Amino acid sequence: MIQKYRFGTPFYTGAVVQDIPCETGAPVFGTVEADENGFQYSITMGDKDAVYGLGEAMRGINKRGGVYESYNLDHRFTVEDVLSLYGAHNFLVVDGEQTFGLFFDFPGKLRFDVGFTNPDEILVSAPEANLDLYVISGDTPRDIVRTFRKAIGQSYIPPKWAMGFAQSRWGYEVPEDFRQVADQYRENGIPLDAIYMDIDYMDAYKDFTVDPAKFPDFPGFVQEMQARNVHLVPIIDAAVKIEDGYPVCDEGLEKGYFCTGKDGEPFQTAAWPGPTYLPDVLQPDVRTWFGNWYLSLTEQGIDGFWNDMNEPAVFYTKESMERFRSEMQEFLAKDFQDEGEQSRGDSQWFRVQWAAHKVSGPDNYTQFYHKIDGKPVLHDRVHNLYGAFMTRAAGEALERRYPDTRKLLFSRSSFIGMHRYGGVWTGDNSSIWPHILLNLQQLPGLNMCGFLYAGADLGGFGGDTSRDLLLRWLALGVFTPLMRNHAAKNTRMQECYQFDHPEDFAHVIGVRYRLLPYLYSELVQAALNGDLLFRPLAFDYPDDPIARETADQLMLGDGLMIAPVLTQNASGRMVYLPEPMLLVKFMPDGSLEQTRMDAGIHYISVALNEVPVFIRREHILPLAKPAMSVPELDEEHLELLGWVTREATLTLYRDDGYSRDYSNPAHYTVLRMGGDLS
Ligand code: GLC
């Protein structure tokens, strides 16, 4: 059951699509204080209660003990105490003495204190009391998630090719760079379905342009790559370069489609192109207009996009630069001798550093306005919707133009509701071991909020990756719907063929293709049924105290459990099995090592070039033969694995990978595996 409580006059966020009447009276769980000073929700937790959800937020799967903020930011460093990342995912489930879900449908800054200040209390506060609170009850966390997901509508389903492996790097510039990546992958026998085009394909970082000097025949180039089963996926940034004669800028100005300053004039921000304007994507007309620009690229053969810098990232504004300049001038006018004598905490130099940091910080969000229902609204109040509405603009345009064909679309910034239009990647992580674990821990929370097509930059975005880090990360990535190796400019080259023994990479990525029919089928069915693809073990084994605390393994789909190796210099790891399972190891020679294991704690050895997966008893894992790309997959001849003592079945969803007729019965096959009575 889902109950809705309305406070004040909320903004439209588009998160909930189900028609739910408003309740009167106090919420069934918790207490609310709402007045002109703001909104506060509180509830006391039981000693053993766990708290799940909050989408891509930092820290573990159980969010208890932490404080989190929904206020989307472009991050330099993804560290444990970062309060908010790129997405605002205001849904959580409390599981324990009382089990219920909460969704705060609010587009401004929201703070979740989950037993941080008061170990037994959840406090959720917002600076204004204009929001809808949804309280969801159900028997289990999974039921609660399903009820919530029904309310927010069906998750985005990508085209099948977008579940193949992809290579990306900030720094590929010209066709030769892309050809070389494709050549090297093919020559080394490593599967590949897509190469991402970061900002350097554009003409002076102008959205929807392709640098004509670098790509004299872009449609021809797109076609050439597609003939090799490689899709090119360009990045689109939120901000529009200010330049006379650039049609997106000219048209936006002419129609009054950009966010404005206090004076009502288009407000100048800055991003990669230098000075920019922000399309006011909160307005439906602006969305239609901005979305239609994507079609200028699909007309050239492009069939996927990644939306970036859409928190929106603001490098500086005139005002923030001015503030910094005066701070700096004051500092430079000082005698450096004095500076040395000051105590560290009071140092003006640190103040300058802080001022520099603030130039691109959240203060910028209180300087410009959207137009909502004809009235100016300060960006800060609706901040978390920006990236979601940019992506919605693209998703709606693509669906209008290609009603029968799915396109790839995902975004860095997001809000619940955007999950209907595209997926997410988790932004700028680093080439460090803890970020494999973070990647794993973000998945169930994202799924709870509707984001099924999700993944992290495999190998790590910032910093230099190492061969072992990349291989271990890929062994998690083989299970994540978005499987993309991406790295920042000026880092070590990170393509799989850059490392010794590329055949190990070919093998690990090959496992992805063997699993693909299963993963695709489970993803589509999770989307259609409003279910989770990745679950905490606690969801499947609620009465098992060890399972409840296991935070480095996940349940995947109908019958799998994953437990990747997460640390360096480890030849294996400890794994907890809540029930007997079949361990399948994909060995580098292509063979499968299958071991029946009892419930309990085990050490399993896993070499760098092996991929382990666990199959629950009485469940089936179908496997395809390895393939070099999704179109080359043989989905007809599947090998069935399992430890079954009686007949087990699995409903496999299979389609052409593009169309949207999910209810077609011909797409469903029931796979059966007989018992061996052991
Ligand atoms: C942002 C994105 C990153 C991209 C870079 C350059 O940092 O998160 O993925 O490579 O911008 O476009």
Side-chain angles (χ1 to χ4, degrees):
M1 185 164 73
I2 182 158
Q3 285 162 302
K4 173 180 177 180
Y5 302 88
R6 172 154 290 186
F7 301 91
T9 323
F11 288 112
Y12 169 75
T13 67
V16 173
V17 289
Q18 203 178 12
D19 203 9
I20 301 166
C22 290
E23 304 284 330
T24 49
V28 275
F29 294 100
T31 317
V32 168
E33 281 172 45
D35 55 31
E36 64 289 353
N37 298 319
F39 172 91
Q40 177 146 302
Y41 174 90
S42 59
I43 188 155
T44 306
M45 292 181 280
D47 280 355
K48 297 244 161 70
D49 289 9
V51 180
Y52 303 107
L54 295 182
E56 73 183 5
M58 291 300 294
R59 305 169 67 95
I61 293 174
N62 179 354
K63 297 294 181 218
R64 189 167 181 161
V67 63
Y68 313 87
E69 235 169 48
S70 286
Y71 202 68
N72 301 338
L73 284 178
D74 172 19
H75 274 282
R76 295 285 169 279
F77 303 105
T78 304
V79 289
E80 184 172 305
D81 61 354
V82 160
L83 297 183
S84 58
L85 290 176
Y86 308 89
H89 306 137
N90 304 334
F91 171 68
L92 53 84
V93 179
V94 179
D95 177 30
E97 278 173 26
Q98 306 184 102
T99 297
F100 58 94
L102 298 169
F103 173 50
F104 299 85
D105 193 0
F106 178 68
K109 186 186 277 182
L110 200 58
R111 185 182 165 88
F112 294 86
D113 181 330
V114 186
F116 178 75
T117 306
N118 256 327
D120 295 332
E121 196 177 28
I122 299 180
L123 284 172
V124 183
S125 45
E128 59 174 295
N130 294 306
L131 59 87
D132 286 330
L133 164 63
Y134 294 85
V135 180
I136 304 131
S137 29
D139 290 338
T140 64
R142 196 166 173 183
D143 283 344
I144 289 166
V145 169
R146 282 193 281 235
T147 304
F148 175 61
R149 294 272 301 283
K150 195 162 170 222
I152 60 173
Q154 189 194 298
S155 298
Y156 165 79
I157 301 175
K160 199 183 286 177
W161 64 262
M163 290 188 70
F165 174 72
Q167 182 62 53
S168 183
R169 179 177 182 82
W170 177 11
Y172 299 153
E173 296 231 355
V174 292
E176 219 26 66
D177 296 336
F178 297 89
R179 284 195 188 106
Q180 207 177 61
V181 174
D183 290 348
Q184 290 286 334
Y185 268 93
R186 295 285 179 252
E187 274 165 31
N188 285 287
I190 310 173
L192 182 77
D193 271 275
I195 306 178
Y196 281 70
M197 307 185 86
D198 209 317
I199 47 175
D200 299 301
Y201 77 88
M202 293 186 236
D203 175 10
Y205 306 135
K206 284 180 284 189
D207 278 343
F208 312 114
T209 66
V210 176
D211 189 334
K214 293 178 186 163
F215 298 90
D217 173 18
F218 188 61
F221 179 56
V222 175
Q223 218 173 42
E224 171 197 322
M225 296 303 275
Q226 272 177 10
R228 308 176 67 183
N229 290 336
V230 175
H231 296 254
L232 291 173
V233 184
I235 194 170
I236 304 291
D237 285 345
V240 169
K241 181 174 167 66
I242 301 180
E243 188 182 284
D244 239 7
Y246 164 41
V248 186
C249 179
D250 289 350
E251 264 182 48
L253 281 175
E254 192 187 299
K255 294 175 194 282
Y257 280 172
F258 295 125
C259 292
T260 51
K262 252 193 276 206
D263 54 4
E265 292 299 314
F267 183 76
Q268 195 172 313
T269 59
W272 301 125
T276 48
Y277 292 132
L278 291 168
D280 185 1
V281 285
L282 270 60
Q283 296 185 44
D285 288 353
V286 180
R287 283 203 291 281
T288 308
W289 167 75
F290 194 75
N292 282 342
W293 277 104
Y294 285 77
L295 307 180
S296 63
L297 287 165
T298 56
E299 271 151 24
Q300 300 181 63
I302 289 298
D303 52 6
F305 299 94
W306 49 312
N307 281 346
D308 191 22
M309 308 298 277
N310 52 0
E311 294 67 35
V314 175
F315 290 177
Y316 55 87
T317 65
K318 280 186 181 155
E319 201 177 306
S320 72
M321 216 30 144
E322 234 7 272
R323 251 186 283 135
F324 174 58
R325 199 171 281 139
S326 62
E327 195 88 31
M328 192 67 194
Q329 271 160 359
E330 203 182 308
F331 172 71
L332 290 174
K334 280 213 152 187
D335 180 347
F336 287 98
Q337 214 45 45
D338 292 353
E339 170 66 11
E341 282 155 20
Q342 286 181 28
S343 75
R344 192 174 186 271
D346 193 33
S347 158
Q348 176 133 13
W349 172 236
F350 284 107
R351 284 217 293 281
V352 169
Q353 280 188 22
W354 179 236
H357 175 74
K358 280 183 48 168
V359 168
S360 339
D363 287 356
N364 295 322
Y365 298 139
T366 55
Q367 294 174 34
F368 61 93
Y369 295 80
H370 298 272
K371 203 181 277 163
I372 298 179
D373 299 328
K375 292 194 200 77
V377 171
L378 188 64
H379 173 76
D380 175 65
R381 297 183 63 198
V382 287
H383 169 67
N384 291 331
L385 295 178
Y386 194 87
F389 276 51
M390 174 201 179
T391 303
R392 178 171 171 170
E396 285 178 336
L398 293 170
E399 197 164 340
R400 261 193 320 272
R401 173 70 183 78
Y402 306 99
D404 303 321
T405 315
R406 278 173 268 153
K407 304 287 175 192
L408 170 61
L409 182 62
F410 63 91
S411 172
R412 192 172 72 174
S413 184
S414 59
F415 188 83
I416 290 174
M418 197 205 87
H419 69 287
R420 301 192 298 275
Y421 304 96
V424 289
W425 98 98
T426 51
D428 298 349
N429 57 10
S430 304
S431 298
I432 56 172
W433 290 86
H435 279 185
I436 310 183
L437 177 62
L438 174 66
N439 183 178
L440 179 144
Q441 292 179 328
Q442 286 175 314
L443 291 164
L446 280 165
N447 278 199
M448 289 176 211
C449 297
F451 296 97
L452 297 179
Y453 187 73
D457 290 347
L458 302 173
F461 175 74
D464 292 334
T465 203
S466 58
R467 181 177 187 274
D468 55 349
L469 176 63
L470 180 55
L471 275 167
R472 290 301 194 200
W473 211 326
L474 288 167
L476 166 62
V478 295
F479 300 106
T480 65
L482 167 63
M483 187 189 183
R484 181 180 76 144
N485 174 342
H486 179 49
K489 221 175 190 140
N490 301 323
T491 60
R492 175 182 187 177
M493 298 307 280
Q494 196 170 293
E495 298 82 8
C496 298
Y497 52 79
Q498 306 283 0
F499 300 91
D500 277 355
H501 294 290
E503 67 277 10
D504 288 342
F505 292 85
H507 166 65
V508 170
I509 296 171
V511 172
R512 162 56 157 237
Y513 289 76
R514 304 203 67 186
L515 295 166
L516 216 138
Y518 174 81
L519 293 175
Y520 179 73
S521 164
E522 292 295 303
L523 177 115
V524 173
Q525 294 185 69
L528 298 178
N529 301 326
D531 214 333
L532 296 144
L533 185 62
F534 292 102
R535 298 178 303 279
L537 267 57
F539 277 36
D540 289 49
Y541 308 97
D543 303 322
D544 177 334
I546 302 180
R548 284 183 75 86
E549 292 186 5
T550 301
D552 58 358
Q553 303 173 199
L554 292 176
M555 304 309 295
L556 163 56
D558 182 56
L560 302 189
M561 184 180 81
I562 60 169
V565 175
L566 304 162
T567 48
Q568 192 161 29
N569 300 320
S571 45
R573 59 164 285 172
M574 303 300 295
V575 179
Y576 177 62
L577 269 59
E579 62 173 319
M581 292 186 186
L582 179 68
L583 164 62
V584 177
K585 268 201 280 185
F586 292 87
M587 306 304 283
D589 63 0
S591 67
L592 300 170
E593 194 184 282
Q594 303 188 48
T595 317
R596 294 176 178 191
M597 297 181 84
D598 289 335
I601 296 171
H602 300 267
Y603 180 83
I604 59 158
S605 61
V606 186
L608 275 176
N609 53 7
E610 295 170 5
V611 180
V613 65
F614 295 85
I615 311 177
R616 297 172 76 173
R617 220 146 64 140
E618 319 302 351
H619 287 77
I620 307 175
L621 172 63
L623 283 186
K625 296 224 161 51
M628 293 304 288
S629 67
V630 169
E632 292 165 84
L633 256 185
D634 172 4
E635 293 194 58
E636 289 308 313
H637 302 95
L638 301 176
E639 179 184 352
L640 304 187
L641 302 184
W643 175 6
V644 298
T645 58
R646 49 179 188 267
E647 190 186 64
T649 60
L650 176 78
T651 302
L652 192 74
Y653 178 86
R654 247 179 316 201
D655 64 8
D656 58 9
Y658 291 95
S659 57
R660 297 183 198 254
D661 56 339
Y662 305 111
S663 53
N664 186 341
H667 294 168
Y668 295 83
T669 314
V670 178
L671 304 178
R672 288 171 204 283
M673 193 172 172
D676 62 4
L677 302 177
S678 57

